[in-house]
Amino acid sequence: GPGTNEDLDVSFAEVGPRGLPLVSLNIPARTDAQGRFEFRKVPPGSLHITYREKLSNPNFQSWQNRPLKDVELKSGQDLVVNIVTSDRPATPVMNFRPAPAPVPIPGAEVKGTLLKPNGQPAAEADEGLQVEGSYLAVGKGALLQGSARQEGRFVKTGADGSFRLPLFERAQAVLAASEDGYVKVSLDQLKASPQITLEKWGRIEGTL
């Protein structure tokens, strides 16, 4: 039968040394009475579709994501998937320890220019610095600021699409998002070519 009222997530397939996604996606979806779901404004790339399994944690309410299906989404693509899954396992017990806060490098910065998919400057777009072990999430048409703004790892691009971000230890990449699209580039790529271009959002729908 249909999987109804299931909380689903989509995440990047690329993971770090601890087995966690290098960049979080925050684009949840819930299945309806027919098991149908839809994710909008999805960045292109190799992705996992997962469901949320509640954890028995004495400190706070939490969950972990269990895999349902791997997909490959192209720029601007509308992807339709059908998922067949087994019964969920028993609820596990897990204790969570937060990662250490990122450490800024005095006087060092990252800078560049962001363009829309049509080549025009991307003004007022979100720019974030990805640091190993630190939270940074992509939402619907935007980056979620959270701790990244408090730590100084989040800025808005200027009228000409330019941006400047302070550099942190264990920094890995720069992310950008707006209503026009999403892009992620490594620091080495940005150093070689400081002008980066957003890729169009895609969409995933299906039945669980």
Side-chain angles (χ1 to χ4, degrees):
T4 62
N5 296 316
E6 291 283 352
D7 291 312
L8 306 183
D9 294 284
V10 61
S11 63
F12 289 114
E14 185 182 13
V15 297
R18 300 170 60 195
L20 299 174
L22 292 175
V23 179
S24 297
L25 284 178
N26 192 335
I27 316 175
R30 174 169 284 192
T31 59
D32 63 13
Q34 285 76 46
R36 294 175 301 194
F37 61 90
E38 182 177 14
F39 297 104
R40 288 181 176 271
K41 294 193 181 300
V42 184
S46 299
L47 304 167
H48 298 312
I49 297 176
T50 61
Y51 76 91
R52 296 184 183 185
E53 180 181 65
K54 293 182 179 179
L55 299 177
S56 176
N57 194 311
N59 300 318
F60 53 85
Q61 291 185 348
S62 61
W63 69 84
Q64 65 182 8
N65 291 91
R66 292 288 187 177
L68 287 175
K69 192 174 185 68
D70 295 342
V71 298
E72 189 75 27
L73 186 68
K74 298 179 181 179
S75 177
Q77 180 185 13
D78 285 352
L79 183 64
V80 178
V81 297
N82 290 313
I83 301 173
V84 179
T85 186
S86 58
D87 293 336
R88 67 177 71 249
T91 301
V93 177
M94 180 178 290
N95 288 316
F96 174 76
R97 293 183 179 179
V103 179
I105 301 174
E109 64 178 7
V110 179
K111 58 183 179 180
T113 303
L114 180 67
L115 303 178
K116 297 180 180 180
N118 63 8
Q120 297 298 311
E124 290 296 309
D126 296 342
E127 287 279 352
L129 184 69
Q130 176 196 347
V131 176
E132 180 184 350
S134 296
Y135 183 79
L136 185 62
V138 180
K140 292 182 179 180
L143 298 182
L144 302 185
Q145 303 174 24
S147 60
R149 175 176 281 280
Q150 299 171 4
E151 296 162 355
R153 295 185 294 115
F154 177 92
V155 296
K156 290 278 190 179
T157 58
D160 59 352
S162 63
F163 63 89
R164 304 170 79 99
L165 284 162
L167 188 61
F168 285 73
E169 294 180 5
R170 306 197 315 273
Q172 298 172 324
V174 169
L175 280 68
S178 74
E179 288 295 321
D180 297 291
Y182 163 88
V183 69
K184 173 188 173 184
V185 294
S186 69
L187 296 187
D188 289 338
Q189 289 174 306
L190 189 63
K191 185 177 180 180
S193 178
Q195 191 175 76
I196 57 179
T197 303
L198 293 167
E199 295 183 320
K200 294 181 179 179
W201 297 107
R203 185 171 63 93
I204 302 173
E205 65 174 290
T207 302
L208 170 65

